[in-house]
Amino acid sequence: MAKLTKQLDYNTIHEIFTRFRDGDAEPKGELDHVNAYTLVVAVALSAQATDKGVNKATAELFKVADTPQKMLDLGIDAVTDHIKTIGLFRQKAKNVMKTAQILVDEYDGEVPSSRAALQSLPGVGRKTANVVLNMWWGQPAQAVDTHIFRLGNRSGIAPGKDVDAVERAIEDNIPAEFQLHAHHWMILHGRYICVARKPKCQACHIRDLCLYEEKTT
């Protein structure tokens, strides 16, 4: 677990996200998708897998199955074969098929826009639901992954003992004007700069504001 730090004050957090916005005003997620359905599938497949690995596996899959009905028509054996390079691929293939069936049977093949409905789908947890709500439906939902959890605690932006606490801290402490893109800024910073073992503090443009005590040189 990341070391829990103190909470940064409002003005410091505002400055941090001003810098994030200045660096990239419209941050984008790195999972490839063509519609809401393929986004749901991609995010669900990304659990315990890298975005790069998921994109490689879904490149051909989404060419032939970009709707729930097409996924059902493709069949579980073909789906399994497409995603076999991803961790836990057999269970994930089963979840993909179950989700496709539910979407066809209960939602006319459309992806619902409510968190509760999304979380009712097999293999879709709160994080996946929040990603879809944010990226597709434009809601300021905060999907806390390992990168955001680490950055939130290290920096003092959003400290918390678990992902739920960090999610609440982001919602409570980051100014409203930054809420829509907050999780993308944080995940990208955590993925490429504030990495787990040797954070690249020398390349960090919020180094002077961060509370992390063990900054690298």
Side-chain angles (χ1 to χ4, degrees):
M1 175 182 166
K3 183 180 178 181
L4 197 65
T5 64
K6 295 180 179 179
Q7 171 72 55
L8 287 169
D9 63 76
Y10 176 89
N11 289 334
T12 302
I13 292 175
H14 191 282
E15 175 60 24
I16 285 173
F17 282 89
T18 297
R19 294 183 189 182
F20 284 153
R21 183 175 60 190
D22 289 345
D24 185 1
E26 296 288 337
K28 304 295 182 184
E30 296 186 319
L31 284 171
D32 294 338
H33 60 283
V34 296
N35 54 29
Y37 172 64
T38 54
L39 177 60
V40 170
V41 173
V43 180
L45 292 177
S46 71
Q48 299 184 42
T50 65
D51 288 1
K52 183 178 180 180
V54 171
N55 290 340
K56 183 177 180 180
T58 59
E60 296 301 318
L61 175 62
F62 290 161
K63 289 179 181 179
V64 294
D66 60 357
T67 69
Q69 186 59 60
K70 288 180 182 178
M71 196 69 75
L72 292 174
D73 293 341
L74 188 61
I76 190 167
D77 290 339
V79 172
T80 302
D81 189 58
H82 274 290
I83 67 170
K84 62 186 178 183
T85 57
I86 300 175
L88 306 175
F89 67 95
R90 289 188 178 86
Q91 183 59 50
K92 288 178 179 179
K94 293 177 182 178
N95 288 339
V96 167
M97 298 304 288
K98 290 177 182 177
T99 290
Q101 192 68 64
I102 291 171
L103 291 175
V104 168
D105 292 344
E106 299 181 20
Y107 298 98
D108 297 321
E110 300 296 326
V111 174
S113 59
S114 81
R115 181 182 285 111
L118 286 167
Q119 286 189 240
S120 72
L121 301 173
V124 177
R126 185 177 180 87
K127 185 184 77 171
T128 298
N130 281 350
V131 171
V132 175
L133 291 173
N134 182 279
M135 291 181 62
W136 194 259
W137 300 109
Q139 298 182 23
Q142 307 303 332
V144 179
D145 70 350
T146 56
H147 300 299
I148 293 177
F149 184 79
R150 179 175 63 252
L151 175 61
N153 278 292
R154 268 184 181 170
S155 66
I157 292 172
K161 294 182 178 180
D162 53 41
V163 293
D164 291 336
V166 170
E167 181 180 335
R168 289 193 299 272
I170 293 172
E171 293 172 342
D172 291 344
N173 301 316
I174 294 176
E177 64 187 287
F178 303 116
Q179 284 284 327
L180 180 60
H181 295 310
H183 104 270
H184 276 131
W185 282 316
M186 291 182 72
I187 193 173
L188 293 171
H189 194 75
R191 180 176 291 165
Y192 296 112
I193 301 297
C194 196
V195 295
R197 294 188 177 180
K198 292 184 178 179
K200 301 174 183 178
C201 299
Q202 70 279 5
C204 177
H205 56 295
I206 64 167
R207 175 191 175 104
D208 57 315
L209 305 174
C210 171
L211 294 179
Y212 185 49
E213 295 178 354
E214 301 171 20
K215 292 185 176 71
T216 58
T217 58

mmCIF file of all heavy atoms in Angstrom, residues 101-146:
data_model
loop_
_atom_site.group_PDB
_atom_site.id
_atom_site.type_symbol
_atom_site.label_atom_id
_atom_site.label_comp_id
_atom_site.label_asym_id
_atom_site.label_seq_id
_atom_site.Cartn_x
_atom_site.Cartn_y
_atom_site.Cartn_z
ATOM 1 N N GLN A 101 -25.112 -11.170 -23.540
ATOM 2 C CA GLN A 101 -26.471 -11.733 -23.477
ATOM 3 C C GLN A 101 -27.402 -10.833 -22.672
ATOM 4 O O GLN A 101 -28.554 -10.594 -23.062
ATOM 5 C CB GLN A 101 -26.421 -13.126 -22.851
ATOM 6 C CG GLN A 101 -27.714 -13.916 -22.994
ATOM 7 C CD GLN A 101 -27.994 -14.290 -24.443
ATOM 8 O OE1 GLN A 101 -27.236 -15.034 -25.053
ATOM 9 N NE2 GLN A 101 -29.077 -13.752 -25.006
ATOM 10 N N ILE A 102 -26.915 -10.324 -21.548
ATOM 11 C CA ILE A 102 -27.740 -9.437 -20.720
ATOM 12 C C ILE A 102 -28.078 -8.159 -21.476
ATOM 13 O O ILE A 102 -29.219 -7.683 -21.450
ATOM 14 C CB ILE A 102 -27.006 -9.108 -19.405
ATOM 15 C CG1 ILE A 102 -26.915 -10.348 -18.515
ATOM 16 C CG2 ILE A 102 -27.714 -7.972 -18.649
ATOM 17 C CD1 ILE A 102 -26.026 -10.171 -17.300
ATOM 18 N N LEU A 103 -27.096 -7.590 -22.165
ATOM 19 C CA LEU A 103 -27.351 -6.356 -22.909
ATOM 20 C C LEU A 103 -28.379 -6.574 -24.014
ATOM 21 O O LEU A 103 -29.222 -5.708 -24.258
ATOM 22 C CB LEU A 103 -26.036 -5.817 -23.490
ATOM 23 C CG LEU A 103 -25.027 -5.286 -22.477
ATOM 24 C CD1 LEU A 103 -23.727 -4.890 -23.171
ATOM 25 C CD2 LEU A 103 -25.592 -4.097 -21.706
ATOM 26 N N VAL A 104 -28.317 -7.716 -24.668
ATOM 27 C CA VAL A 104 -29.297 -8.024 -25.718
ATOM 28 C C VAL A 104 -30.673 -8.257 -25.117
ATOM 29 O O VAL A 104 -31.684 -7.730 -25.604
ATOM 30 C CB VAL A 104 -28.843 -9.255 -26.531
ATOM 31 C CG1 VAL A 104 -29.974 -9.763 -27.423
ATOM 32 C CG2 VAL A 104 -27.632 -8.905 -27.386
ATOM 33 N N ASP A 105 -30.733 -9.033 -24.043
ATOM 34 C CA ASP A 105 -32.019 -9.422 -23.459
ATOM 35 C C ASP A 105 -32.708 -8.307 -22.686
ATOM 36 O O ASP A 105 -33.936 -8.182 -22.720
ATOM 37 C CB ASP A 105 -31.823 -10.620 -22.516
ATOM 38 C CG ASP A 105 -31.428 -11.895 -23.250
ATOM 39 O OD1 ASP A 105 -31.590 -11.937 -24.487
ATOM 40 O OD2 ASP A 105 -30.956 -12.842 -22.588
ATOM 41 N N GLU A 106 -31.910 -7.496 -21.978
ATOM 42 C CA GLU A 106 -32.505 -6.531 -21.052
ATOM 43 C C GLU A 106 -32.369 -5.068 -21.478
ATOM 44 O O GLU A 106 -33.106 -4.213 -20.973
ATOM 45 C CB GLU A 106 -31.880 -6.706 -19.662
ATOM 46 C CG GLU A 106 -32.107 -8.095 -19.067
ATOM 47 C CD GLU A 106 -31.513 -8.242 -17.678
ATOM 48 O OE1 GLU A 106 -31.266 -7.195 -17.024
ATOM 49 O OE2 GLU A 106 -31.293 -9.385 -17.255
ATOM 50 N N TYR A 107 -31.453 -4.788 -22.394
ATOM 51 C CA TYR A 107 -31.196 -3.386 -22.756
ATOM 52 C C TYR A 107 -31.219 -3.138 -24.264
ATOM 53 O O TYR A 107 -30.685 -2.143 -24.740
ATOM 54 C CB TYR A 107 -29.844 -2.932 -22.182
ATOM 55 C CG TYR A 107 -29.778 -2.980 -20.674
ATOM 56 C CD1 TYR A 107 -29.189 -4.067 -20.022
ATOM 57 C CD2 TYR A 107 -30.307 -1.957 -19.893
ATOM 58 C CE1 TYR A 107 -29.133 -4.131 -18.635
ATOM 59 C CE2 TYR A 107 -30.246 -2.003 -18.507
ATOM 60 C CZ TYR A 107 -29.657 -3.089 -17.883
ATOM 61 O OH TYR A 107 -29.602 -3.139 -16.512
ATOM 62 N N ASP A 108 -31.849 -4.062 -24.992
ATOM 63 C CA ASP A 108 -31.950 -3.920 -26.452
ATOM 64 C C ASP A 108 -30.592 -3.713 -27.119
ATOM 65 O O ASP A 108 -30.470 -3.012 -28.129
ATOM 66 C CB ASP A 108 -32.883 -2.758 -26.824
ATOM 67 C CG ASP A 108 -34.314 -2.989 -26.365
ATOM 68 O OD1 ASP A 108 -34.775 -4.138 -26.456
ATOM 69 O OD2 ASP A 108 -34.947 -2.028 -25.909
ATOM 70 N N GLY A 109 -29.573 -4.304 -26.539
ATOM 71 C CA GLY A 109 -28.244 -4.233 -27.122
ATOM 72 C C GLY A 109 -27.496 -2.954 -26.845
ATOM 73 O O GLY A 109 -26.385 -2.765 -27.355
ATOM 74 N N GLU A 110 -28.072 -2.079 -26.022
ATOM 75 C CA GLU A 110 -27.438 -0.793 -25.706
ATOM 76 C C GLU A 110 -26.777 -0.843 -24.333
ATOM 77 O O GLU A 110 -27.198 -1.578 -23.443
ATOM 78 C CB GLU A 110 -28.472 0.327 -25.735
ATOM 79 C CG GLU A 110 -29.167 0.507 -27.079
ATOM 80 C CD GLU A 110 -28.217 0.938 -28.175
ATOM 81 O OE1 GLU A 110 -27.255 1.696 -27.871
ATOM 82 O OE2 GLU A 110 -28.410 0.528 -29.329
ATOM 83 N N VAL A 111 -25.748 -0.046 -24.154
ATOM 84 C CA VAL A 111 -25.056 0.039 -22.868
ATOM 85 C C VAL A 111 -25.786 1.048 -21.980
ATOM 86 O O VAL A 111 -25.991 2.191 -22.388
ATOM 87 C CB VAL A 111 -23.593 0.475 -23.054
ATOM 88 C CG1 VAL A 111 -22.918 0.716 -21.705
ATOM 89 C CG2 VAL A 111 -22.829 -0.578 -23.852
ATOM 90 N N PRO A 112 -26.187 0.649 -20.773
ATOM 91 C CA PRO A 112 -26.899 1.574 -19.879
ATOM 92 C C PRO A 112 -25.976 2.681 -19.375
ATOM 93 O O PRO A 112 -24.751 2.515 -19.331
ATOM 94 C CB PRO A 112 -27.356 0.670 -18.731
ATOM 95 C CG PRO A 112 -26.375 -0.456 -18.721
ATOM 96 C CD PRO A 112 -26.015 -0.687 -20.163
ATOM 97 N N SER A 113 -26.581 3.783 -18.979
ATOM 98 C CA SER A 113 -25.792 4.938 -18.529
ATOM 99 C C SER A 113 -25.862 5.149 -17.024
ATOM 100 O O SER A 113 -25.518 6.218 -16.533
ATOM 101 C CB SER A 113 -26.278 6.213 -19.238
ATOM 102 O OG SER A 113 -27.647 6.450 -18.970
ATOM 103 N N SER A 114 -26.281 4.146 -16.279
ATOM 104 C CA SER A 114 -26.304 4.269 -14.826
ATOM 105 C C SER A 114 -25.254 3.353 -14.211
ATOM 106 O O SER A 114 -24.990 2.258 -14.723
ATOM 107 C CB SER A 114 -27.688 3.908 -14.263
ATOM 108 O OG SER A 114 -27.846 2.502 -14.145
ATOM 109 N N ARG A 115 -24.655 3.798 -13.112
ATOM 110 C CA ARG A 115 -23.615 3.010 -12.451
ATOM 111 C C ARG A 115 -24.177 1.684 -11.960
ATOM 112 O O ARG A 115 -23.544 0.629 -12.116
ATOM 113 C CB ARG A 115 -23.014 3.792 -11.288
ATOM 114 C CG ARG A 115 -21.899 3.021 -10.566
ATOM 115 C CD ARG A 115 -21.323 3.774 -9.382
ATOM 116 N NE ARG A 115 -20.459 4.862 -9.789
ATOM 117 C CZ ARG A 115 -20.745 6.134 -9.631
ATOM 118 N NH1 ARG A 115 -21.907 6.492 -9.096
ATOM 119 N NH2 ARG A 115 -19.900 7.071 -10.006
ATOM 120 N N ALA A 116 -25.363 1.701 -11.365
ATOM 121 C CA ALA A 116 -25.943 0.475 -10.830
ATOM 122 C C ALA A 116 -26.163 -0.558 -11.933
ATOM 123 O O ALA A 116 -25.870 -1.749 -11.754
ATOM 124 C CB ALA A 116 -27.261 0.790 -10.119
ATOM 125 N N ALA A 117 -26.684 -0.117 -13.064
ATOM 126 C CA ALA A 117 -26.923 -1.041 -14.179
ATOM 127 C C ALA A 117 -25.615 -1.598 -14.717
ATOM 128 O O ALA A 117 -25.503 -2.795 -15.004
ATOM 129 C CB ALA A 117 -27.702 -0.331 -15.283
ATOM 130 N N LEU A 118 -24.621 -0.748 -14.850
ATOM 131 C CA LEU A 118 -23.326 -1.200 -15.344
ATOM 132 C C LEU A 118 -22.700 -2.209 -14.386
ATOM 133 O O LEU A 118 -22.163 -3.231 -14.803
ATOM 134 C CB LEU A 118 -22.390 -0.003 -15.535
ATOM 135 C CG LEU A 118 -22.671 0.891 -16.743
ATOM 136 C CD1 LEU A 118 -21.885 2.194 -16.638
ATOM 137 C CD2 LEU A 118 -22.325 0.173 -18.043
ATOM 138 N N GLN A 119 -22.784 -1.938 -13.085
ATOM 139 C CA GLN A 119 -22.175 -2.828 -12.109
ATOM 140 C C GLN A 119 -22.904 -4.162 -11.993
ATOM 141 O O GLN A 119 -22.370 -5.117 -11.425
ATOM 142 C CB GLN A 119 -22.104 -2.151 -10.741
ATOM 143 C CG GLN A 119 -21.031 -1.088 -10.643
ATOM 144 C CD GLN A 119 -20.832 -0.583 -9.226
ATOM 145 O OE1 GLN A 119 -21.008 0.601 -8.948
ATOM 146 N NE2 GLN A 119 -20.462 -1.447 -8.317
ATOM 147 N N SER A 120 -24.096 -4.242 -12.543
ATOM 148 C CA SER A 120 -24.825 -5.508 -12.528
ATOM 149 C C SER A 120 -24.323 -6.468 -13.605
ATOM 150 O O SER A 120 -24.665 -7.651 -13.603
ATOM 151 C CB SER A 120 -26.330 -5.262 -12.727
ATOM 152 O OG SER A 120 -26.611 -4.878 -14.070
ATOM 153 N N LEU A 121 -23.496 -5.975 -14.515
ATOM 154 C CA LEU A 121 -22.971 -6.804 -15.596
ATOM 155 C C LEU A 121 -21.799 -7.646 -15.097
ATOM 156 O O LEU A 121 -20.984 -7.169 -14.311
ATOM 157 C CB LEU A 121 -22.521 -5.925 -16.762
ATOM 158 C CG LEU A 121 -23.598 -5.027 -17.385
ATOM 159 C CD1 LEU A 121 -22.976 -4.081 -18.407
ATOM 160 C CD2 LEU A 121 -24.693 -5.871 -18.030
ATOM 161 N N PRO A 122 -21.697 -8.892 -15.535
ATOM 162 C CA PRO A 122 -20.608 -9.773 -15.087
ATOM 163 C C PRO A 122 -19.226 -9.196 -15.411
ATOM 164 O O PRO A 122 -18.967 -8.752 -16.530
ATOM 165 C CB PRO A 122 -20.844 -11.056 -15.889
ATOM 166 C CG PRO A 122 -22.301 -11.034 -16.215
ATOM 167 C CD PRO A 122 -22.637 -9.589 -16.435
ATOM 168 N N GLY A 123 -18.358 -9.160 -14.411
ATOM 169 C CA GLY A 123 -17.005 -8.667 -14.611
ATOM 170 C C GLY A 123 -16.877 -7.161 -14.605
ATOM 171 O O GLY A 123 -15.788 -6.633 -14.830
ATOM 172 N N VAL A 124 -17.988 -6.465 -14.362
ATOM 173 C CA VAL A 124 -17.959 -4.998 -14.331
ATOM 174 C C VAL A 124 -18.105 -4.524 -12.880
ATOM 175 O O VAL A 124 -19.171 -4.648 -12.291
ATOM 176 C CB VAL A 124 -19.075 -4.387 -15.198
ATOM 177 C CG1 VAL A 124 -19.070 -2.858 -15.078
ATOM 178 C CG2 VAL A 124 -18.903 -4.811 -16.652
ATOM 179 N N GLY A 125 -17.030 -4.004 -12.328
ATOM 180 C CA GLY A 125 -17.065 -3.466 -10.974
ATOM 181 C C GLY A 125 -17.221 -1.964 -10.993
ATOM 182 O O GLY A 125 -17.470 -1.357 -12.042
ATOM 183 N N ARG A 126 -17.058 -1.358 -9.849
ATOM 184 C CA ARG A 126 -17.249 0.091 -9.748
ATOM 185 C C ARG A 126 -16.236 0.856 -10.598
ATOM 186 O O ARG A 126 -16.577 1.838 -11.247
ATOM 187 C CB ARG A 126 -17.135 0.535 -8.286
ATOM 188 C CG ARG A 126 -17.441 2.028 -8.079
ATOM 189 C CD ARG A 126 -17.391 2.418 -6.614
ATOM 190 N NE ARG A 126 -17.681 3.833 -6.439
ATOM 191 C CZ ARG A 126 -18.908 4.344 -6.303
ATOM 192 N NH1 ARG A 126 -19.953 3.535 -6.344
ATOM 193 N NH2 ARG A 126 -19.091 5.647 -6.145
ATOM 194 N N LYS A 127 -14.976 0.376 -10.614
ATOM 195 C CA LYS A 127 -13.965 1.069 -11.397
ATOM 196 C C LYS A 127 -14.319 1.054 -12.886
ATOM 197 O O LYS A 127 -14.259 2.096 -13.554
ATOM 198 C CB LYS A 127 -12.588 0.429 -11.191
ATOM 199 C CG LYS A 127 -11.459 1.186 -11.899
ATOM 200 C CD LYS A 127 -10.129 0.481 -11.767
ATOM 201 C CE LYS A 127 -10.046 -0.698 -12.718
ATOM 202 N NZ LYS A 127 -8.689 -1.290 -12.768
ATOM 203 N N THR A 128 -14.683 -0.117 -13.395
ATOM 204 C CA THR A 128 -15.060 -0.224 -14.809
ATOM 205 C C THR A 128 -16.257 0.659 -15.111
ATOM 206 O O THR A 128 -16.275 1.384 -16.118
ATOM 207 C CB THR A 128 -15.387 -1.683 -15.165
ATOM 208 O OG1 THR A 128 -14.223 -2.486 -14.972
ATOM 209 C CG2 THR A 128 -15.840 -1.809 -16.615
ATOM 210 N N ALA A 129 -17.261 0.622 -14.240
ATOM 211 C CA ALA A 129 -18.450 1.439 -14.444
ATOM 212 C C ALA A 129 -18.088 2.920 -14.480
ATOM 213 O O ALA A 129 -18.582 3.676 -15.327
ATOM 214 C CB ALA A 129 -19.468 1.168 -13.337
ATOM 215 N N ASN A 130 -17.212 3.345 -13.580
ATOM 216 C CA ASN A 130 -16.824 4.755 -13.537
ATOM 217 C C ASN A 130 -16.066 5.179 -14.793
ATOM 218 O O ASN A 130 -16.227 6.299 -15.279
ATOM 219 C CB ASN A 130 -15.982 5.033 -12.294
ATOM 220 C CG ASN A 130 -16.825 5.166 -11.036
ATOM 221 O OD1 ASN A 130 -18.049 5.229 -11.111
ATOM 222 N ND2 ASN A 130 -16.185 5.210 -9.893
ATOM 223 N N VAL A 131 -15.220 4.283 -15.313
ATOM 224 C CA VAL A 131 -14.508 4.598 -16.553
ATOM 225 C C VAL A 131 -15.497 4.827 -17.685
ATOM 226 O O VAL A 131 -15.387 5.790 -18.451
ATOM 227 C CB VAL A 131 -13.523 3.474 -16.931
ATOM 228 C CG1 VAL A 131 -12.964 3.711 -18.339
ATOM 229 C CG2 VAL A 131 -12.379 3.392 -15.936
ATOM 230 N N VAL A 132 -16.472 3.947 -17.805
ATOM 231 C CA VAL A 132 -17.462 4.065 -18.878
ATOM 232 C C VAL A 132 -18.308 5.329 -18.696
ATOM 233 O O VAL A 132 -18.556 6.062 -19.663
ATOM 234 C CB VAL A 132 -18.364 2.808 -18.927
ATOM 235 C CG1 VAL A 132 -19.470 2.979 -19.970
ATOM 236 C CG2 VAL A 132 -17.529 1.574 -19.246
ATOM 237 N N LEU A 133 -18.738 5.592 -17.483
ATOM 238 C CA LEU A 133 -19.526 6.795 -17.214
ATOM 239 C C LEU A 133 -18.742 8.053 -17.577
ATOM 240 O O LEU A 133 -19.291 9.015 -18.128
ATOM 241 C CB LEU A 133 -19.937 6.843 -15.737
ATOM 242 C CG LEU A 133 -20.956 5.801 -15.283
ATOM 243 C CD1 LEU A 133 -21.136 5.877 -13.766
ATOM 244 C CD2 LEU A 133 -22.297 5.997 -15.975
ATOM 245 N N ASN A 134 -17.451 8.032 -17.276
ATOM 246 C CA ASN A 134 -16.613 9.198 -17.543
ATOM 247 C C ASN A 134 -16.295 9.340 -19.022
ATOM 248 O O ASN A 134 -16.516 10.390 -19.624
ATOM 249 C CB ASN A 134 -15.324 9.100 -16.724
ATOM 250 C CG ASN A 134 -14.415 10.291 -16.905
ATOM 251 O OD1 ASN A 134 -13.675 10.369 -17.874
ATOM 252 N ND2 ASN A 134 -14.460 11.229 -15.979
ATOM 253 N N MET A 135 -15.780 8.277 -19.618
ATOM 254 C CA MET A 135 -15.273 8.371 -20.980
ATOM 255 C C MET A 135 -16.368 8.420 -22.032
ATOM 256 O O MET A 135 -16.217 9.089 -23.056
ATOM 257 C CB MET A 135 -14.333 7.197 -21.273
ATOM 258 C CG MET A 135 -13.025 7.250 -20.519
ATOM 259 S SD MET A 135 -11.917 5.850 -20.911
ATOM 260 C CE MET A 135 -11.643 6.113 -22.671
ATOM 261 N N TRP A 136 -17.478 7.710 -21.784
ATOM 262 C CA TRP A 136 -18.517 7.670 -22.804
ATOM 263 C C TRP A 136 -19.662 8.631 -22.527
ATOM 264 O O TRP A 136 -20.158 9.316 -23.419
ATOM 265 C CB TRP A 136 -19.062 6.257 -22.986
ATOM 266 C CG TRP A 136 -19.866 6.157 -24.242
ATOM 267 C CD1 TRP A 136 -21.234 6.175 -24.357
ATOM 268 C CD2 TRP A 136 -19.361 6.094 -25.574
ATOM 269 N NE1 TRP A 136 -21.610 6.109 -25.679
ATOM 270 C CE2 TRP A 136 -20.466 6.058 -26.456
ATOM 271 C CE3 TRP A 136 -18.075 6.057 -26.121
ATOM 272 C CZ2 TRP A 136 -20.328 5.989 -27.838
ATOM 273 C CZ3 TRP A 136 -17.931 5.992 -27.493
ATOM 274 C CH2 TRP A 136 -19.048 5.963 -28.327
ATOM 275 N N TRP A 137 -20.049 8.697 -21.269
ATOM 276 C CA TRP A 137 -21.220 9.509 -20.930
ATOM 277 C C TRP A 137 -20.855 10.889 -20.394
ATOM 278 O O TRP A 137 -21.730 11.694 -20.090
ATOM 279 C CB TRP A 137 -22.101 8.765 -19.917
ATOM 280 C CG TRP A 137 -22.605 7.452 -20.438
ATOM 281 C CD1 TRP A 137 -22.225 6.209 -20.037
ATOM 282 C CD2 TRP A 137 -23.571 7.241 -21.477
ATOM 283 N NE1 TRP A 137 -22.881 5.247 -20.745
ATOM 284 C CE2 TRP A 137 -23.726 5.847 -21.642
ATOM 285 C CE3 TRP A 137 -24.326 8.104 -22.284
ATOM 286 C CZ2 TRP A 137 -24.589 5.299 -22.579
ATOM 287 C CZ3 TRP A 137 -25.189 7.555 -23.221
ATOM 288 C CH2 TRP A 137 -25.318 6.164 -23.360
ATOM 289 N N GLY A 138 -19.572 11.180 -20.263
ATOM 290 C CA GLY A 138 -19.142 12.510 -19.865
ATOM 291 C C GLY A 138 -19.493 12.895 -18.444
ATOM 292 O O GLY A 138 -19.666 14.079 -18.137
ATOM 293 N N GLN A 139 -19.578 11.904 -17.560
ATOM 294 C CA GLN A 139 -19.859 12.177 -16.158
ATOM 295 C C GLN A 139 -18.545 12.265 -15.371
ATOM 296 O O GLN A 139 -17.588 11.548 -15.681
ATOM 297 C CB GLN A 139 -20.747 11.078 -15.571
ATOM 298 C CG GLN A 139 -22.114 10.967 -16.234
ATOM 299 C CD GLN A 139 -22.976 9.903 -15.574
ATOM 300 O OE1 GLN A 139 -22.779 9.543 -14.411
ATOM 301 N NE2 GLN A 139 -23.959 9.404 -16.321
ATOM 302 N N PRO A 140 -18.476 13.122 -14.353
ATOM 303 C CA PRO A 140 -17.243 13.274 -13.573
ATOM 304 C C PRO A 140 -17.038 12.136 -12.581
ATOM 305 O O PRO A 140 -16.850 12.356 -11.382
ATOM 306 C CB PRO A 140 -17.451 14.618 -12.869
ATOM 307 C CG PRO A 140 -18.926 14.714 -12.697
ATOM 308 C CD PRO A 140 -19.528 14.087 -13.929
ATOM 309 N N ALA A 141 -17.099 10.897 -13.075
ATOM 310 C CA ALA A 141 -16.895 9.719 -12.230
ATOM 311 C C ALA A 141 -15.399 9.432 -12.118
ATOM 312 O O ALA A 141 -14.664 9.590 -13.089
ATOM 313 C CB ALA A 141 -17.625 8.524 -12.831
ATOM 314 N N GLN A 142 -14.979 8.999 -10.942
ATOM 315 C CA GLN A 142 -13.552 8.811 -10.675
ATOM 316 C C GLN A 142 -13.218 7.333 -10.537
ATOM 317 O O GLN A 142 -13.609 6.688 -9.572
ATOM 318 C CB GLN A 142 -13.153 9.571 -9.409
ATOM 319 C CG GLN A 142 -13.537 11.041 -9.407
ATOM 320 C CD GLN A 142 -12.950 11.812 -10.583
ATOM 321 O OE1 GLN A 142 -11.895 11.454 -11.106
ATOM 322 N NE2 GLN A 142 -13.608 12.887 -10.991
ATOM 323 N N ALA A 143 -12.525 6.796 -11.517
ATOM 324 C CA ALA A 143 -12.138 5.389 -11.507
ATOM 325 C C ALA A 143 -10.748 5.260 -10.894
ATOM 326 O O ALA A 143 -9.759 5.637 -11.506
ATOM 327 C CB ALA A 143 -12.147 4.843 -12.933
ATOM 328 N N VAL A 144 -10.677 4.727 -9.700
ATOM 329 C CA VAL A 144 -9.402 4.649 -8.971
ATOM 330 C C VAL A 144 -8.732 3.303 -9.231
ATOM 331 O O VAL A 144 -9.227 2.258 -8.804
ATOM 332 C CB VAL A 144 -9.620 4.853 -7.462
ATOM 333 C CG1 VAL A 144 -8.291 4.732 -6.714
ATOM 334 C CG2 VAL A 144 -10.260 6.204 -7.195
ATOM 335 N N ASP A 145 -7.607 3.339 -9.935
ATOM 336 C CA ASP A 145 -6.808 2.142 -10.139
ATOM 337 C C ASP A 145 -5.539 2.240 -9.297
ATOM 338 O O ASP A 145 -5.408 3.128 -8.448
ATOM 339 C CB ASP A 145 -6.491 1.961 -11.626
ATOM 340 C CG ASP A 145 -5.508 3.010 -12.147
ATOM 341 O OD1 ASP A 145 -5.220 3.991 -11.421
ATOM 342 O OD2 ASP A 145 -5.018 2.847 -13.274
ATOM 343 N N THR A 146 -4.599 1.332 -9.514
ATOM 344 C CA THR A 146 -3.384 1.322 -8.690
ATOM 345 C C THR A 146 -2.558 2.593 -8.884
ATOM 346 O O THR A 146 -1.933 3.077 -7.926
ATOM 347 C CB THR A 146 -2.509 0.102 -9.030
ATOM 348 O OG1 THR A 146 -2.215 0.103 -10.436
ATOM 349 C CG2 THR A 146 -3.221 -1.187 -8.676
#
